[in-house]
């Protein structure tokens, strides 16, 4: 009996796909079982349901919330927990393959546990359709929670979405790195992004220098993007950065160094001074309109 | 108030991942090391809190003898003293790491009083287990929130802003509490020369906990395929602009 923590995301469908390797039928607990969200309460419900069903394994999506709730469950039940897996094979111990360095490295590991706790890294598995319609056998379950399970609870929400195109959802992202040289140097990056209806991004060096806000940072510790085209200007291509843009369909690197690491991860390259190349591309776009 | 920040020593990986001969770790011979990025913001936040409210800040790491460099880095930014749980170098799994940190916190609190806040990075840059802070919070029976981009004291409580799609969720926790923070929480300062000098004289308490068997046991590291494609060069300098725009048309973005 396999238990899955579900929400509305595509990542939950990927999670189900991997969980099926561990058996069927499956039971699920919803992330929004408690509104407003209270992560310890969700972990408590999972623990109670897992005991009730004698679950052999528990899965969740490797989203921020999925990893958070599963870590709380692991702490509460004294079990090991493997986050952000891209594959898992049932057995004793369970073999898992999981992401390190935001996906720049893979780890094979053994999970020694009577009830393995596994989250599935989002956007790493192709979703299999449910092979056949399943009979749903619903039964009521009343979870008795402790007051402490509700001590951590969302009490308010702050909307931070400003105007403009969201970095995570933009079809085109134009980013600048150290090679842009200054805060003011981003004017040409903004111009090109504007012409393409895209968003402006940057590398970690740029936010550390205070040239752009952290919300513009593409990378392992910034935003993960998935545009149709990613234009990386003056960015060397450190693994920290590539972990954030590997979801891009195509990458154009504009760099003075033809041997920069980003050239090994890009589809297209223009070699030379970005301060000449970027305005020239903008001018060419304008000319043809 | 008393604030603890837990940090991890990780390599600067640069342009590509190169594994050691046994494929159990990265080849770090030519790499520098740093405090894992989310935790740098934890250090900065701890320093700011003590600057504003008075009290004591402490940095803790579990790592090899060389990890004292990261403890000194944190103390150069203003942290008062350090606790080093020294290992022989091999990686500890998240459960073992959390257990050793819990023991160290209990010992320090028995001697010096409770920590009002304990900071962790949301996840480490290297192994990315997403759990040590929450395990420590669970063992100590303290409320915890992860994914934080905003932290503000409000009397005996701490107001926490967690990054979510479309904004931030707010939690208000009674202290003592455990906070998992993310890069972007603040902009960490650079160490000053006097700060570095002072750091060399600040105390580092060293102990050597024993490593239990790992229940999340590392078997092998693998560099994923996909590194090593070669870009199609569209041209050199500004003269490449027409070819770039043609490519944009072809893929439907211009």
């Amino acid at each position: 009996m396999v238990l899955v923590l579900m929400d509305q995301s595509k990542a939950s469908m990927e999670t189900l796909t991997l969980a099926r390797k561990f058996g069927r039928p499956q039971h699920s607990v919803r992330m929004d079982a408690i509104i407003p969200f209270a992560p310890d309460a969700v972990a408590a419900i999972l623990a109670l349901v897992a005991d009730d069903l004698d679950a052999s394994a528990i899965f969740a999506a490797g989203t921020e919330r999925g990893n958070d709730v599963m870590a709380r469950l692991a702490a509460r039940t004294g079990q090991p927990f493997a986050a952000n897996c891209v594959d898992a094979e049932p057995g004793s111990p369970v073999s898992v393959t999981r992401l390190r360095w935001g996906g720049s490295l893979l780890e094979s590991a053994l999970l020694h546990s009577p009830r393995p706790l596994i989250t599935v890294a989002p956007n790493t598995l192709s979703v299999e359709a449910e092979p056949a319609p399943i009979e749903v056998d619903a039964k009521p379950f009343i979870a008795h929670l402790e007051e402490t399970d509700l001590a951590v609870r969302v009490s308010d929400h702050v909307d931070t979405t400003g105007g403009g195109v969201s970095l995570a959802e933009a079809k085109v992202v134009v980013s600048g790195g150290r090679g842009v040289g200054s805060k003011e140097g981003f004017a040409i990056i903004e111009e090109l992004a504007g012409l393409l209806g895209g968003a402006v991004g940057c590398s970690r060096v740029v936010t550390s220098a205070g040239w752009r806000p952290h919300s513009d940072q593409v990378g392992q510790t910034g935003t993960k993007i998935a545009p149709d085209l990613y234009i990386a200007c003056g960015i060397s291509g450190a693994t920290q950065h590539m972990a954030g843009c590997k979801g891009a369909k195509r990458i154009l690197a504009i760099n003075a160094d033809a041997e920069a690491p980003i050239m090994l991860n890009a589809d297209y390259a223009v070699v030379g001074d970005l301060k000449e190349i970027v305005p020239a591309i903008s001018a060419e776009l304008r000319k043809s309109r | 108030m008393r604030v603890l920040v837990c940090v991890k020593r990780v390599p600067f990986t640069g342009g590509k991942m190169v594994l050691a001969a046994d494929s159990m770790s990265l080849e770090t011979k030519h790499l520098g090391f740093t405090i894992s990025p989310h935790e740098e913001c934890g250090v900065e936040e701890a320093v700011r809190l003590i600057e504003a409210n008075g009290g004591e800040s402490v940095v803790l790491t579990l790592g090899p003898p060389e990890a004292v460099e990261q403890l000194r880095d944190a103390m150069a930014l203003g942290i008062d003293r350090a606790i080093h749980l020294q290992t022989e170098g091999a990686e500890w799994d998240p459960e073992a790491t959390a257990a050793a940190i819990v023991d160290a916190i209990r010992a320090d609190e028995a001697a010096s009083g409770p920590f009002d806040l304990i900071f962790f990075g949301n996840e480490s840059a290297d192994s990315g287990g997403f759990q040590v802070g929450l395990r420590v919070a669970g063992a100590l029976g303290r409320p915890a929130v992860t994914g934080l981009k905003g932290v503000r004291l409000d009397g005996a409580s701490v107001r926490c802003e967690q990054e979510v799609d479309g904004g931030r969720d707010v939690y208000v926790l009674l202290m003592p509490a455990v906070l998992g923070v993310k890069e972007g929480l603040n902009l960490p300062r650079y160490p000053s020369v006097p700060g570095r000098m002072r750091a060399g004289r600040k105390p580092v308490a060293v102990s050597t906990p024993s490593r239990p068997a790992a229940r999340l046991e590392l078997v092998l590291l693998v560099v994923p395929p996909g590194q090593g494609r070669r870009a199609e060069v569209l041209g050199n300098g500004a003269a490449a602009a027409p070819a770039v725009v043609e490519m944009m048309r072809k893929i439907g973005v211009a």
Side-chain angles (χ1 to χ4, degrees):
Chain A
M1 200 71 84
V2 178
L3 183 60
V4 182
L5 177 62
M6 294 290 287
D7 59 20
Q8 304 296 321
S9 68
K10 176 176 164 278
S12 280
M13 301 312 291
E14 295 176 70
T15 305
L16 273 180
T17 301
L18 187 61
R20 274 189 206 116
K21 287 172 83 170
F22 285 68
R24 308 180 41 156
Q26 293 163 358
H27 291 258
S28 70
V29 168
R30 289 170 56 115
M31 187 70 91
D32 59 359
I34 297 270
I35 297 175
F37 182 61
D40 289 312
V42 180
I45 293 169
L46 272 176
L48 291 167
V49 174
D51 282 347
D52 187 62
L53 294 170
D54 196 20
S56 58
I58 307 178
F59 288 82
T63 55
E64 294 284 351
R65 284 205 167 159
N67 283 330
D68 177 291
V69 168
M70 290 290 270
R72 289 173 199 265
L73 176 63
R76 174 182 288 267
T77 56
Q79 292 300 330
F81 158 47
N84 287 328
C85 296
V86 296
D87 200 3
E89 291 297 332
S92 185
V94 170
S95 302
V96 298
T97 305
R98 55 181 300 273
L99 303 186
R100 284 192 173 224
W101 291 100
S104 302
L105 198 60
L106 295 173
E107 164 192 351
S108 297
L110 297 173
L111 187 54
H112 300 268
S113 172
R115 181 177 286 164
L117 307 180
I118 293 170
T119 63
V120 179
N123 303 315
T124 56
L125 291 177
S126 45
V127 173
E128 282 169 22
E130 188 66 42
I134 49 169
E135 292 280 313
V136 178
D137 174 23
K139 64 166 188 167
F141 183 84
I142 296 169
H144 295 279
L145 301 178
E146 305 290 329
E147 206 164 313
T148 50
D149 295 329
L150 294 165
V152 177
R153 194 160 190 185
V154 174
S155 59
D156 198 1
H157 181 82
V158 183
D159 198 345
T160 54
T161 47
V165 185
S166 134
L167 192 55
E169 286 158 20
K171 292 285 177 211
V172 179
V173 175
V174 188
S175 272
R178 192 194 300 272
V180 174
S182 67
K183 186 183 257 185
E184 295 70 33
F186 270 84
I188 56 172
I189 305 289
E190 283 173 351
E191 181 191 25
L192 179 57
L195 284 167
L196 293 166
V200 174
C202 67
S203 67
R204 185 163 183 261
V205 176
V206 168
T207 48
S208 297
W211 299 348
R212 303 288 299 186
H214 187 271
S215 51
D216 281 2
Q217 184 183 316
V218 173
Q220 186 183 340
T221 52
T223 301
K224 316 270 190 296
I225 60 168
D228 291 338
L229 178 64
Y230 182 53
I231 306 178
C233 309
I235 291 176
S236 67
T239 52
Q240 136 81 238
H241 187 74
M242 301 317 292
C245 66
K246 63 182 181 339
K249 281 206 191 106
R250 291 181 183 80
I251 298 176
L252 163 63
I254 299 176
N255 208 294
D257 178 6
E259 300 302 318
I262 194 156
M263 298 301 185
L264 295 175
N265 286 294
D267 302 276
Y268 309 106
V270 176
V271 180
D273 184 355
L274 71 92
K275 294 182 184 68
E276 293 168 9
I277 297 164
V278 174
I281 297 170
S282 294
E284 186 72 21
L285 279 168
R286 278 210 185 86
K287 199 167 74 185
S288 57
R289 279 182 186 178
Chain B
M1 72 183 305
R2 295 221 313 140
V3 179
L4 175 69
V5 54
C6 298
V7 303
K8 185 175 186 182
R9 171 185 168 90
V10 299
F12 277 118
T13 49
K16 67 178 200 200
M17 296 287 175
V18 179
L19 297 180
D22 62 1
S23 291
M24 292 292 277
S25 64
L26 286 179
E27 175 56 66
T28 55
K29 219 180 299 173
H30 306 293
L31 301 180
F33 286 82
T34 179
I35 293 174
S36 188
H38 293 316
E39 293 143 28
E40 290 186 322
C41 293
V43 171
E44 176 66 31
E45 202 66 19
V47 171
R48 288 185 191 183
L49 282 169
I50 298 306
E51 282 172 350
N53 300 287
E56 185 188 39
S57 57
V58 182
V59 60
L60 179 154
T61 197
L62 179 137
E66 298 78 22
V68 73
E69 293 164 14
Q70 280 62 50
L71 297 175
R72 297 276 176 217
D73 287 348
M75 290 190 289
L77 297 180
I79 298 286
D80 298 315
R81 63 179 172 90
I83 298 171
H84 190 174
L85 309 179
Q86 224 175 70
T87 69
E88 286 168 1
E91 189 174 280
W92 286 39
D93 81 337
E95 252 186 312
T97 302
I101 293 174
V102 167
D103 288 346
I105 290 172
R106 287 198 172 122
D108 197 85
E109 291 192 334
S112 309
F115 289 109
D116 300 284
L117 290 174
I118 302 175
F119 286 101
F120 285 88
N122 196 60
E123 83 279 2
S124 61
D126 56 351
S127 51
F130 286 86
Q131 57 191 278
V132 171
L134 288 169
R135 285 185 183 278
V136 169
L140 296 173
R142 295 180 194 177
V145 184
T146 64
L148 300 186
K149 287 279 182 88
V151 171
R152 204 181 68 213
L153 293 191
D154 184 11
S157 301
V158 57
R159 182 182 184 276
C160 303
E161 291 189 6
Q162 179 185 58
E163 188 176 45
V164 294
D165 284 345
R168 295 183 175 180
D169 279 344
V170 178
Y171 300 74
V172 178
L173 306 186
L174 267 180
M175 294 190 280
V178 176
L179 308 181
V181 300
K182 289 177 91 169
E183 191 178 80
L185 173 71
N186 52 42
L187 187 58
R189 70 194 71 187
Y190 289 99
S192 63
V193 173
R196 288 228 166 267
M197 305 275 286
R198 277 196 295 276
R201 297 190 296 269
K202 290 178 178 174
V204 179
V206 179
S207 62
T208 51
S210 56
R211 180 183 176 214
R215 295 206 294 167
L216 176 59
E217 183 191 353
L218 171 62
V219 176
L220 199 67
L221 298 175
V222 180
V223 178
Q227 291 192 351
R229 42 182 161 143
R230 189 82 213 176
E232 175 193 339
V233 178
L234 297 177
N236 288 287
V244 170
V245 173
E246 195 189 316
M247 175 275 288
M248 289 174 172
R249 290 239 167 73
K250 209 168 66 189
I251 66 171
V253 300

